[in-house]
């Protein structure tokens, strides 16, 4: 059964579409990647999938909740990690991760503290509960963002460029974490990225968007697309070839 | 720009910079677009590689159609759309705020009271010393100026009346609101703007929090409470400032000054100032939050939003004060 079903979606700003006729499905338990060059609309598509922006046309259906736009004001059915982690600067990591639990559960404070400690432990941040976001590295902020996204035990995670801007070691550690979460918890994870190493390591399936074509130019297993690219643009992307620049 | 000669020999050039290559490539591109066949010959080594790098791009640009110039009508249309988008954003903000206020008033227990107390401390207690110091100085200056002018007519006994009435009716509410706008309003706009550009507001929404209820309403509530309270304190402190001048310069006893103040003021003078404070507090909070949440474009955008918020707050405060003056005059209060 599909965790997410996207049908003939058009996305954009101010009445002009940047991507049109997007149709794809994300299977339950998949690590699904949204790929493409800078400015092609990957993050905009993600904003639509999580209900922050209304589609210009078409529909998005998330299993169990329906249209994400309708569910945005209620209890979250999915977790989201934003590119910068988007942690609240005035709160400690524990308060950040505990925020959705305090909002949506009636658990005792001590229970919430235990859950938060374990969530942070799962992402390798045990011992950092009382640190402020300004006191930790970029990679740690992203890990804390993932811990907060998992706080409400949802089975669907959206990650926006998780390894962007990280050093190679932190990026690999984050990739390992994503694989662990996917395998260990059976989560469906949708990731926006253009980091090739991560793509081949963690992605089970992907779609590739293109700015000029304003649509999906490839869909499938990223390793297969790399070895047998269906068109020139996919080839240049996966093999890091210049598309006309230096 | 003048095109270069049709044939250019580069043999004599042994070294040059990317800047020189850029100027030459620009001229070369212009010449190509003009239909001239120009080529560089004998460029080798460093000169050759830099020239190749720049001219390759110039040649590529020549293949693209030149960008169309926007007509005046298009520019007017585009600017109109930009302004309409701002109006739409403000209307949407007002709608969201009304909804959030209604929801908060229906379920006050669900508000983040701990956060509200923290905001009270940050915007109220922490900001009080500077607001009150300014009120004291305003009272002192007003009394000083009044004593000099009124003495010419032998009416220096009216200093207490002038100071107390001008402070409670006009100066204390407006000056307090301006200090709160400069201190708390700017800080709120910058805080909201930073949260907006760092996706914290989006993160709140995806966690099921309404940013208007969670972020804006508490700030609105706090400023609507602390601004009138601070105005009342400013009334008292400003009158004390006037007392200093009256005692030091006019040989008026403190008791007689205070008695004059009591006789000059009626309850409405003080109460009217407090009502202004409530409205001014709302203006500062709503303007700061609206500009902050409308921030786009990173750190520069936060700076722009903060500046815009402070300017807008000052204008709205003076405009609201003018409306109050007209209304109070209309109803004879």
């Amino acid at each position: 059964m599909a965790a997410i079903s996207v049908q003939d979606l058009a996305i954009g700003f101010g009445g002009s579409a940047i991507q049109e006729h997007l149709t794809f499905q994300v299977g339950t338990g998949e690590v699904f990647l949204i790929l493409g060059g800078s400015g092609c609309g990957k993050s905009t598509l993600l904003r639509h999938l999580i209900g922050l922006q209304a589609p210009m046309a078409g529909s998005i259906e998330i299993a169990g909740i329906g249209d994400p736009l309708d569910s945005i004001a209620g209890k979250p059915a999915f977790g989201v990690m934003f590119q910068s982690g988007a942690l609240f600067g005035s709160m400690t990591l524990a308060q950040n991760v505990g925020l959705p639990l305090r909002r949506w559960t009636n658990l005792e404070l001590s229970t919430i503290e235990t859950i938060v400690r374990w969530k942070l432990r799962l992402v390798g941040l045990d011992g950092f509960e009382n640190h402020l976001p300004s006191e930790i590295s970029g990679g740690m902020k992203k890990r804390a963002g993932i811990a907060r996204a998992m706080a409400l035990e949802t089975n669907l995670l959206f990650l926006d460029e998780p390894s962007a801007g990280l050093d190679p070691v932190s990026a690999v550690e984050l990739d390992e974490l994503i694989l662990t979460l996917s395998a260990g918890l059976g989560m469906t994870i949708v990731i926006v990225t253009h980091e090739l190493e991560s793509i081949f390591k963690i992605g089970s399936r992907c779609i590739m968007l293109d700015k000029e074509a304003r649509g999906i130019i490839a869909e499938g297993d990223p390793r297969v697309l790399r070895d047998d690219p269906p068109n020139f643009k996919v080839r240049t992307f996966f093999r890091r070839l210049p598309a006309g620049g230096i | 720009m003048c095109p270069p000669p049709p044939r250019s020999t580069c043999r004599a050039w042994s070294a040059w910079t990317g800047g020189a290559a850029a100027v030459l490539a620009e001229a070369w591109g212009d010449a190509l677009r003009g239909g001239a066949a120009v080529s560089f010959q004998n460029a080798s080594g460093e000169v050759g590689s830099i020239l190749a790098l720049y001219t390759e791009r110039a040649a590529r640009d020549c293949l693209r159609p030149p960008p169309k110039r926007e007509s005046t009508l298009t520019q007017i249309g585009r600017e109109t759309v930009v302004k309409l988008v701002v109006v739409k954003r403000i209307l949407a903000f007002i709608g969201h705020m009304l909804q959030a206020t209604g929801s908060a008033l229906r379920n006050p227990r669900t508000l983040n009271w701990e956060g509200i107390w923290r905001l009270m401390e940050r915007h109220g207690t922490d900001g009080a010393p500077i607001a009150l110091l300014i009120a004291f100085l305003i009272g002192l200056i007003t009394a000083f100026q009044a004593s000099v002018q009124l003495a010419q007519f032998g009416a220096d006994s009216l200093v207490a009346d002038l100071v107390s009435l001008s402070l409670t009716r006009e100066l204390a509410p407006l000056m307090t609101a301006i200090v709160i706008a400069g201190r708390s309003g700017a800080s709120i706009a910058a805080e909201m703007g930073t949260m907006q550009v760092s996706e914290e507001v989006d993160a709140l929404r995806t966690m099921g929090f309404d940013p208007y209820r969670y972020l804006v309403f508490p700030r609105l509530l706090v400023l609507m409470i602390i601004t009138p309270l601070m105005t009342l304190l400013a009334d008292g402190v400003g009158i004390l400032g006037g007392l200093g001048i009256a005692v030091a310069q006019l040989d008026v006893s403190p008791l007689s000054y205070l008695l004059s103040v009591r006789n000059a003021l009626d309850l409405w003078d003080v109460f009217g100032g407090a009502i202004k404070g409530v409205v001014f507090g709302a203006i500062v909070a709503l303007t700061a939050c609206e500009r902050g949440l409308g921030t786009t474009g990173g750190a520069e955008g936060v700076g722009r939003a903060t500046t815009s918020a402070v300017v807008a707050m000052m204008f709205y405060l003076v405009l609201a004060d003018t409306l109050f003056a007209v209304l109070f005059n209309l109803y004879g209060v």
Side-chain angles (χ1 to χ4, degrees):
Chain A
M1 187 196 165
I4 304 172
S5 212
V6 174
Q7 198 65 41
D8 208 20
L9 186 73
I11 60 173
F13 299 98
S16 58
I18 52 173
Q19 291 288 331
E20 292 174 307
H21 308 300
L22 302 177
T23 298
F24 60 91
Q25 292 195 328
V26 179
T28 305
E30 267 186 341
V31 177
F32 186 85
L33 308 178
I34 300 170
L35 312 178
S38 297
C40 71
K42 303 185 297 286
S43 292
T44 308
L45 173 58
L46 184 78
R47 289 179 65 81
H48 284 75
L49 293 177
I50 60 180
L52 287 177
Q53 219 171 310
M56 296 172 69
S59 66
I60 301 166
E61 186 88 12
I62 295 183
I65 62 162
D67 190 337
L69 266 181
D70 298 336
S71 66
I72 191 80
K75 184 179 176 183
F78 49 78
V80 184
M81 189 217 72
F82 289 88
Q83 198 170 343
S84 59
L87 301 173
F88 303 112
S90 57
M91 296 180 182
T92 62
L93 296 196
Q95 287 169 333
N96 264 286
V97 177
L99 189 67
L101 291 165
R102 289 204 302 275
R103 169 76 176 86
W104 291 109
T105 67
N106 294 319
L107 296 170
E108 297 271 326
L109 201 61
S110 58
T111 313
I112 290 180
E113 279 169 5
T114 307
I115 294 172
V116 166
R117 207 166 44 247
W118 272 97
K119 295 289 174 190
L120 285 171
R121 192 172 289 176
L122 269 182
V123 298
L125 287 176
D126 39 335
F128 288 90
E129 289 84 358
N130 296 320
H131 282 61
L132 288 170
S134 57
E135 296 167 343
I136 59 173
S137 70
M140 290 160 91
K141 280 181 195 160
K142 294 197 180 204
R143 285 166 173 273
I146 293 178
R148 189 176 65 185
M150 297 190 316
L152 287 173
E153 310 292 340
T154 55
N155 285 320
L156 178 58
L157 269 188
F158 292 93
L159 312 180
D160 189 7
E161 312 225 5
S163 45
L166 296 186
D167 65 87
V169 176
S170 302
V172 167
E173 284 174 356
L174 206 61
D175 289 345
E176 295 289 349
L177 173 66
I178 291 166
L179 287 173
T180 309
L181 294 176
S182 168
L185 303 174
M187 292 179 122
T188 306
I189 305 179
V190 178
I191 304 174
V192 167
T193 185
H194 49 204
E195 303 283 327
L196 282 179
E197 280 187 37
S198 294
I199 291 168
F200 300 131
K201 186 168 184 183
I202 61 178
S204 45
R205 216 159 58 80
C206 70
I207 54 166
M208 188 167 171
L209 304 179
D210 183 65
K211 201 172 174 178
E212 279 81 33
R214 295 206 294 183
I216 296 171
I217 55 167
E219 183 172 357
D221 185 324
R223 288 158 288 263
V224 174
L225 292 176
R226 174 193 56 192
D227 298 338
D228 185 18
N231 55 53
F232 173 74
K233 282 187 172 169
V234 176
R235 185 168 161 266
T236 56
F237 182 89
F238 280 119
R239 296 188 182 171
R240 303 183 81 154
L241 298 171
I246 288 177
Chain B
M1 189 181 285
C2 295
R7 189 183 171 88
S8 181
T9 298
C10 311
R11 190 177 294 157
W13 305 345
S14 56
W16 64 338
T17 64
V23 172
L24 196 58
E26 180 75 17
W28 184 70
D30 286 346
L32 283 185
R33 271 189 290 274
V38 186
S39 64
F40 295 101
Q41 293 183 347
N42 302 327
S44 58
E46 187 195 357
V47 173
S49 56
I50 294 179
L51 196 58
L53 184 71
Y54 279 82
T55 51
E56 187 199 333
R57 267 154 185 74
R60 211 184 295 158
D61 289 346
C62 285
L63 299 175
R64 291 192 194 127
K68 281 183 187 169
R69 279 196 62 181
E70 257 184 1
S71 69
T72 312
L73 201 63
T74 312
Q75 287 178 29
I76 292 171
R78 189 162 41 76
E79 282 305 308
T80 309
V81 169
V82 169
K83 295 283 179 277
L84 286 175
V85 167
V86 172
V87 172
K88 187 182 161 194
R89 198 188 71 207
I90 292 172
L91 288 176
F93 178 85
I94 293 169
H96 282 305
M97 258 330 285
L98 288 174
Q99 207 175 15
T101 306
S103 148
L105 293 179
R106 275 195 305 276
N107 305 298
R109 279 187 183 181
T110 58
L111 282 174
N112 176 15
W113 288 104
E114 193 189 322
I116 288 173
W117 283 120
R118 247 196 331 266
L119 286 173
M120 286 270 194
E121 192 181 335
R122 198 202 303 171
H123 298 298
T125 320
D126 295 353
I130 184 68
L132 298 183
L133 176 65
I134 287 174
F136 181 81
L137 294 174
I138 293 284
L140 201 129
I141 294 164
T142 311
F144 184 73
Q145 293 293 347
S147 67
V148 172
Q149 300 302 321
L150 292 173
Q152 294 178 40
F153 307 101
D156 43 5
S157 60
L158 295 176
V159 165
D161 301 51
L162 195 143
V163 169
S164 55
L165 281 172
S166 55
L167 269 168
T168 52
R169 283 174 164 247
E170 280 300 328
L171 292 174
L174 191 61
M175 288 308 297
T176 306
I178 286 174
V179 171
I180 288 175
R183 191 183 174 278
S184 302
S187 125
I188 289 171
E191 186 185 14
M192 295 281 130
T194 307
M195 289 184 81
Q196 180 69 29
V197 298
S198 61
E199 298 177 307
E200 288 174 37
V201 176
D202 287 341
L204 271 180
R205 292 175 67 195
T206 57
M207 286 191 282
F209 289 88
D210 174 8
Y212 295 91
R213 193 169 189 278
Y214 188 77
L215 296 176
V216 183
F217 183 77
R219 283 157 181 82
L220 174 68
L221 185 69
V222 164
L223 289 199
M224 283 175 77
I225 293 170
I226 63 144
T227 312
L229 289 179
M230 213 109 92
T231 300
L232 293 176
L233 284 174
D235 288 344
V237 172
I239 288 169
L240 282 182
L243 172 74
I245 288 293
V247 171
Q249 195 148 323
L250 302 173
D251 269 345
V252 176
S253 74
L255 187 64
S256 120
Y257 175 87
L258 292 174
L259 278 173
S260 300
V261 168
R262 199 186 72 178
N263 291 334
L265 291 182
D266 65 33
L267 194 60
W268 178 254
D269 294 320
V270 179
F271 189 59
I275 290 177
K276 280 186 182 182
V278 175
V279 175
F280 291 169
I283 287 173
V284 171
L286 291 175
T287 311
C289 290
E290 191 274 321
R291 296 297 155 112
L293 290 176
T295 305
T296 52
E300 192 199 344
V302 175
R304 224 176 17 242
T306 309
T307 308
S308 154
V310 172
V311 173
M313 281 185 274
M314 298 299 162
F315 173 71
Y316 294 149
L317 286 174
V318 174
L319 185 70
D321 199 37
T322 311
L323 291 175
F324 269 119
V326 173
L327 273 177
F328 285 177
N329 189 43
L330 208 65
Y331 290 101
V333 287

